[in-house]
């Protein structure tokens, strides 16, 4: 960093510290709210969402052949297969915008193309099947169907546009040779596939959210999800002791720790800022009153849709929380178009999520990804509001 940049940062920090209204009740409440949100995030998402996701990312970086990632998700991969798999991955994973980050980092650093990788990044949290069903039941079937169709289409369109804007580096033969040697041949493809399936099932069952209504298959699975998680953990330990060597397990743990070091500090910082600005869902305790947000997203103007997309992009939504929040905003006068715009931009993005993506992709690609999500959400939300 250049000295003049450091000087500018020092001046900004000094001005903020000098004028910050610490004695203000709203300011103090917003600071406290930021830590409440961080505590809630740590209690609800770190152990049962992020930790399993870090282990999956570590496993991808160690045990998945770079050659295979490049073959199926690289620049020369079959586009229909690559984007098809990436665009529907969220229906299986059912994770929030932060939990998908370690897995995205794993496949991208392993050689996946920018297109399929960003398609996966968007679809992971956006196409949560439970959230789609809940949206349809609570907010109406029109909005539920529009969200599902829009999310799948967005992941493909955004991925294709990212691949057009940013050309992928071609993997060299030397890279592939090193990768192949490092990956090892001690297990069959079926054994590796079963190992990853167990890891994903641990993540899915551990993070299984309580349904809004205590009926149906989802509620049945919720009632036994800890038993299912325990069973998967037992199977995982049997797999590790039977099929893996000690040095492979050590490499896996080290890679998992590397992802955790890279991602967790940025996530926590982003959650603090998001909590300070907007507060936890339905608390109205952030520095920005929620009534101002509701006022700005009424009707179906382009500005209302754009503001809803921007607000959704910066807010943090835990899995399924976007639906009751939208229900409250719709009751306060929010238009249907801005509601869809927020549903398409919100679950896929958040301020913590953006900070981490930037550390993986860089500023230019991150800005492009965010702009594409916001612009597409604005246009589709406006069209939906115009038609319905």
């Amino acid at each position: 960093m250049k000295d003049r940049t450091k000087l500018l940062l020092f001046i900004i920090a000094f001005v903020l510290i000098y004028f910050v209204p610490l004695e203000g009740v709203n300011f103090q409440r917003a600071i406290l709210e930021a830590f409440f949100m961080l505590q809630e995030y740590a209690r609800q998402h770190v152990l049962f969402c992020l930790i399993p996701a870090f282990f999956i990312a570590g496993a991808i970086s160690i045990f998945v052949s770079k050659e295979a990632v490049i073959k199926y998700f690289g620049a020369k991969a079959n586009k229909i297969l690559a984007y098809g798999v990436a665009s529907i991955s969220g229906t299986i994973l059912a994770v929030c915008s932060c939990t998908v980050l370690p897995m995205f980092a794993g496949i991208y650093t392993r050689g996946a193309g920018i297109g399929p990788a960003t398609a996966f990044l968007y679809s992971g949290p956006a196409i949560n099947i439970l959230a789609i069903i809940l949206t349809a039941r609570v907010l109406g079937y029109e909005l539920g169907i529009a969200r599902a169709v829009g999310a799948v289409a967005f992941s493909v369109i955004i991925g294709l546009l990212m691949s057009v804007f940013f050309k992928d580096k071609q993997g060299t033969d030397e890279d592939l040779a090193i990768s192949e040697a490092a990956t090892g041949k001690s297990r069959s493809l079926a054994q590796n596939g079963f190992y990853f399936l167990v890891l994903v099932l641990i993540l899915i069952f551990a993070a299984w959210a309580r349904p809004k209504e205590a009926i149906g298959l989802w509620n049945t699975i919720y009632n036994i999800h800890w038993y299912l998680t325990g069973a998967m953990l037992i199977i995982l330990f049997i797999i590790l002791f039977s099929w893996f060597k000690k040095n492979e397990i050590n490499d896996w743990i080290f890679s998992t720790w590397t992802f955790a070091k890279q991602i967790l500090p940025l996530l926590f910082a982003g959650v603090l800022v998001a909590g300070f600005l907007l507060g936890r869902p339905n608390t109205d305790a952030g520095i920005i009153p929620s009534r101002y947000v509701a006022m700005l997203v009424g009707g179906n103007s382009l500005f209302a849709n754009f503001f809803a997309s921007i607000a959704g992009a910066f807010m943090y939504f835990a899995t399924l929380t976007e639906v009751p929040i939208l229900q409250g905003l719709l009751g306060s006068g929010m238009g249907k178009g801005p509601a869809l715009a927020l549903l398409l931009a919100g679950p896929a993005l958040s301020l913590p999520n953006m900070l981490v993506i930037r550390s993986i992709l860089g500023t230019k690609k991150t800005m492009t990804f965010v702009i594409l999500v916001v612009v597409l959400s604005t246009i589709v939300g406006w069209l939906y509001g115009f038609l319905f």
Side-chain angles (χ1 to χ4, degrees), residues 26-46:
N26 290 340
F27 192 85
Q28 293 174 1
R29 187 178 61 179
I31 291 177
L32 189 61
E33 181 64 16
F35 285 96
F36 273 133
M37 186 163 174
L38 182 61
Q39 184 183 58
E40 186 175 290
Y41 183 87
R43 288 177 175 175
Q44 296 185 7
H45 303 292
V46 173

Side-chain angles (χ1 to χ4, degrees), residues 74-370:
K76 296 181 179 179
N78 182 312
K79 296 290 186 292
I80 295 176
L81 176 64
Y83 287 97
V85 172
S87 65
I88 62 170
S89 56
T91 58
I92 301 170
L93 294 174
V95 294
C96 69
S97 60
C98 295
T99 306
V100 77
L101 293 172
M103 289 178 277
F104 162 72
I107 64 169
Y108 184 67
T109 55
R110 205 60 179 153
I114 185 69
T118 49
F120 171 79
L121 175 64
Y122 179 85
S123 76
I127 313 173
N128 179 336
I129 188 66
L130 190 55
I132 298 291
I133 293 172
L134 189 63
T135 301
R137 294 187 65 169
V138 176
L139 305 179
Y141 286 96
E142 290 174 354
L143 207 51
I145 293 171
R147 180 183 182 182
V149 174
V152 174
F154 272 31
S155 64
V156 175
I157 294 170
I158 290 170
L160 288 171
L161 289 174
M162 289 292 287
S163 67
V164 170
F165 296 150
F166 304 100
K167 298 298 182 185
D168 292 308
K169 293 180 180 178
Q170 304 293 322
T172 64
D173 293 339
E174 184 179 355
D175 289 339
L176 298 180
I178 292 171
S179 168
E180 189 68 17
T183 305
K185 297 286 188 182
S186 58
R187 291 173 300 281
S188 66
L189 181 62
Q191 286 176 317
N192 275 331
F194 185 65
Y195 160 69
F196 275 100
L197 175 64
V198 170
L199 288 178
V200 172
L201 288 176
I202 289 172
L203 170 64
I204 291 173
F205 290 136
W208 199 272
R210 181 196 294 271
K212 186 176 177 65
E213 297 177 8
I215 55 173
L217 176 63
W218 270 265
N219 185 63
T220 302
I221 296 175
Y222 175 77
N223 290 332
I224 60 171
H225 73 122
W226 288 123
Y227 298 106
L228 295 171
T229 305
M232 290 299 113
L233 282 171
I234 292 172
I235 294 173
L236 176 63
F237 279 111
I238 293 173
I239 288 173
L240 290 176
F241 283 107
S242 303
W243 296 346
F244 286 75
K245 298 172 183 174
K246 186 177 179 181
N247 65 315
E248 290 180 316
I249 297 174
N250 289 338
D251 290 343
W252 177 35
I253 293 172
F254 179 78
S255 177
T256 300
W257 170 234
T258 302
F259 280 112
K261 283 192 297 183
Q262 179 186 10
I263 292 173
L264 269 180
L266 292 172
L267 272 183
F268 286 168
V271 171
L272 271 176
V273 174
F276 175 77
L277 294 176
L278 297 165
R280 289 168 295 167
N282 299 322
T283 61
D284 194 18
I287 199 70
I288 302 174
S290 60
R291 64 179 182 278
Y292 291 156
V293 178
M295 285 168 52
L296 291 167
V297 293
N300 188 50
S301 64
L302 268 178
F303 175 78
N305 282 281
F306 176 70
F307 187 84
S309 300
I310 288 287
F314 281 89
M315 289 175 70
Y316 171 72
F317 293 102
T319 307
L320 303 183
T321 57
E322 71 274 15
V323 176
I325 292 172
L326 256 296
Q327 191 177 20
L329 288 172
L330 284 167
S332 301
M334 187 182 202
K336 285 188 175 181
L340 179 61
L342 194 147
L343 280 174
L344 291 172
L349 286 174
S350 65
L351 181 60
N353 161 293
M354 290 181 208
L355 293 175
V356 176
I357 295 173
R358 180 187 170 280
S359 72
I360 299 167
L361 292 181
T363 302
K364 195 173 178 181
K365 290 177 182 174
T366 302
M367 287 291 294
T368 305
F369 177 72
V370 173

